[in-house]
């Protein structure tokens, strides 16, 4: 069992919100209310997301893994030997395993891997397992919020810096936020490149099934955000008084995920009380979908040179190589 973090109070008894608490309070004060999806990923949330990735209805993970198996050698050749690889939002490090195996088989082993994730415990567990399987690889896990910028640790002898951002997490950003992130990474990766997974526009019915699984795992993942606020911030969200709701907006080409208040209620977060009307929502996530051409245009605007693109036969998902001049 994961030990709950202490509720943050100062010596004078004043509640100190921290990053999660501060962002949650700010989001609850907005109209409409929202909170960044990065806060899904504590230990419990990361474990629930791993379960989502195993669901039949959730196509992105197995489709992207299939692309790594089918086209891994081509991707490895884009990356090259002795690369210094940073994986953004590394999670359980499942996909980097496939990439490392392909790089080693192609005699293009990387010099170092820097997996970055906001969920420290989940990250370090995955990094320890990976280190046991790759004893010759330097692995430097970094528990951090990569959206706020990072300091890339220097490394002598590396041929180039390479970013790895699988899973279509780029879709959690709005287009403006995605452009900002890509500009930041293009600057970090000068002379190297970015290998990135991008979910594609498709039949809305298929998207609905992927984000509203019959087993209720995605609903539990969504509600864990409230459970985390209760554990870490001393909030009193009644999880039974909120419903998971996800839908596809074809105009914005994105899935929106919300928590809907099922009744009029009041919620305490630290020293602050918030009123929810029946039907009022807390917007917890966007998952933007792209066309291949649309994403290449976005990457080019950020300073990358779009390179090879790999797609599955059903055109559900894509993996892009972006060169950073």
């Amino acid at each position: 069992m994961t030990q709950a973090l202490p509720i943050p109070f100062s010596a004078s008894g004043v509640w100190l919100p921290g990053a999660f608490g501060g962002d949650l309070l700010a989001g609850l004060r907005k109209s409409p209310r929202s909170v960044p999806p990065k806060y899904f990923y504590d230990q419990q949330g990361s474990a629930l997301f791993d379960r989502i990735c195993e669901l039949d209805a959730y196509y992105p993970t197995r489709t992207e893994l299939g692309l790594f198996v089918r086209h891994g050698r081509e991707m490895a050749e884009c990356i090259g030997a002795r690369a210094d690889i940073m994986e953004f939002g590394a999670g359980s490090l499942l996909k980097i395993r496939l990439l490392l195996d392909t790089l080693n088989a192609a005699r293009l082993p990387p010099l170092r891997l820097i997996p970055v994730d906001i969920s420290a415990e989940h990250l370090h567990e995955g990094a320890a397992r990976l280190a046991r399987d790759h004893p010759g690889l330097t692995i430097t896990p970094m528990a951090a919020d990569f959206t706020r910028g990072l300091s890339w640790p220097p490394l002598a002898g590396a041929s180039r810096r390479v970013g790895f951002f699988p899973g279509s997490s780029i879709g959690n950003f709005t287009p403006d936020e995605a452009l900002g992130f890509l500009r930041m990474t293009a600057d970090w990766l000068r002379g190297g490149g970015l290998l990135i997974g991008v979910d594609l526009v498709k039949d809305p019915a298929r998207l609905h099934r992927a984000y509203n699984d019959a087993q209720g795992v995605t609903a539990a993942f969504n509600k864990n955000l409230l459970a985390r606020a209760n554990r870490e911030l001393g909030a009193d969200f009644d999880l039974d008084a909120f419903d998971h709701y996800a839908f596809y907006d074809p105009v914005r080409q994105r899935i929106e995920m919300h928590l809907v208040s099922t009744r009029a209620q009041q919620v305490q977060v630290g020293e602050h009380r918030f009123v929810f009307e029946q039907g009022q929502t807390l917007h917890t996530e966007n998952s933007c979908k792209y066309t291949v051409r649309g994403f290449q245009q976005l990457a080019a605007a950020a300073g990358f040179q779009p390179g090879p693109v790999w797609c599955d036969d059903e055109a559900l998902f894509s993996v892009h190589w972006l060169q950073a001049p």
Side-chain angles (χ1 to χ4, degrees):
M1 178 179 290
T2 302
Q3 183 179 3
L5 297 178
I7 301 168
F9 287 89
S10 70
S12 61
V14 176
W15 180 65
L16 302 174
F20 175 34
D23 284 349
L24 179 60
L25 289 176
L28 289 171
R29 293 185 181 116
K30 290 180 183 176
S31 182
R33 289 170 168 165
S34 65
V35 64
K38 62 188 176 185
Y39 294 115
F40 282 135
Y41 298 100
D42 64 347
Q43 179 73 355
Q44 287 90 332
S46 296
L48 284 165
F49 184 72
D50 285 346
R51 287 178 58 195
I52 289 171
C53 293
E54 297 170 356
L55 296 170
D56 289 341
Y58 193 75
Y59 64 86
T61 302
R62 66 173 177 274
T63 307
E64 187 179 32
L65 287 172
L67 292 173
F68 288 135
V69 170
R70 187 173 176 181
H71 301 287
R73 184 62 181 258
E74 300 160 55
M75 298 176 190
E77 290 171 356
C78 289
I79 292 170
R82 299 182 64 79
D84 191 12
I85 301 176
M86 179 177 284
E87 181 179 4
F88 306 108
S92 58
L93 286 87
L94 172 64
K95 292 166 188 171
I96 194 66
R97 285 179 173 272
L98 280 176
L99 193 59
L100 289 174
D101 289 344
T102 303
L103 285 164
N104 289 329
R107 297 184 179 179
L108 299 169
L111 207 57
R112 179 176 63 177
L113 171 66
I114 309 171
V116 183
D117 200 272
I118 198 169
S119 179
E121 187 174 353
H122 198 63
L123 171 68
H124 286 288
E125 287 176 358
R129 290 192 298 268
L130 189 65
R132 288 194 294 270
D133 296 335
H134 293 269
L137 176 65
T138 298
I139 302 176
T140 309
M142 186 182 296
D145 178 1
F146 62 84
T147 66
R148 297 182 183 270
L150 296 171
S151 176
W152 196 302
L155 179 66
S159 63
R160 58 169 67 183
R161 290 178 174 178
V162 171
F164 183 48
F165 197 23
S168 195
S169 295
I170 190 71
N172 294 150
F173 300 137
T174 66
D176 285 345
E177 290 168 343
L179 179 62
F181 172 77
L182 290 171
R183 281 176 174 160
M184 179 174 65
T185 53
D187 185 55
W188 283 342
L189 301 171
R190 265 182 251 174
L194 176 66
L195 188 66
I196 183 169
V198 180
D199 201 7
L200 299 177
V201 172
K202 59 183 63 63
D203 179 5
R206 189 155 197 167
L207 288 167
H208 179 83
R209 290 193 298 271
Y211 290 85
N212 294 277
D213 62 278
Q215 296 92 327
V217 183
T218 308
F221 173 71
N222 199 6
K223 287 188 178 186
N224 181 65
L225 185 74
L226 306 182
R228 181 182 180 185
N230 291 349
R231 288 191 299 268
E232 297 184 16
L233 305 175
D236 63 355
F237 285 100
D238 179 356
L239 273 62
D240 292 333
F242 288 87
D243 281 344
H244 163 75
Y245 185 66
F247 64 92
Y248 181 64
D249 181 340
V251 176
R252 295 181 175 178
Q253 295 184 332
R254 73 185 190 188
I255 285 282
E256 288 190 18
M257 205 151 76
H258 295 254
L259 290 163
V260 184
S261 178
T262 60
R263 57 177 171 79
Q265 59 181 307
Q266 294 186 34
V267 174
Q268 188 81 24
V269 182
E271 299 173 338
H272 306 272
R273 184 159 289 275
F274 298 91
V275 174
F276 278 84
E277 302 297 337
Q278 183 176 8
Q280 190 171 8
T281 79
L282 177 62
H283 186 178
T284 54
E285 184 181 57
N286 294 320
S287 184
C288 295
K289 313 304 174 185
Y290 290 90
T291 63
V292 168
R293 179 176 173 81
F295 185 76
Q296 287 180 321
Q297 290 174 335
L298 181 70
F304 282 105
Q305 292 178 353
V309 183
W310 301 275
C311 296
D312 62 287
D313 293 340
E314 294 184 82
L316 299 176
F317 200 90
S318 60
V319 176
H320 297 242
W321 173 253
L322 306 176
Q323 187 73 28

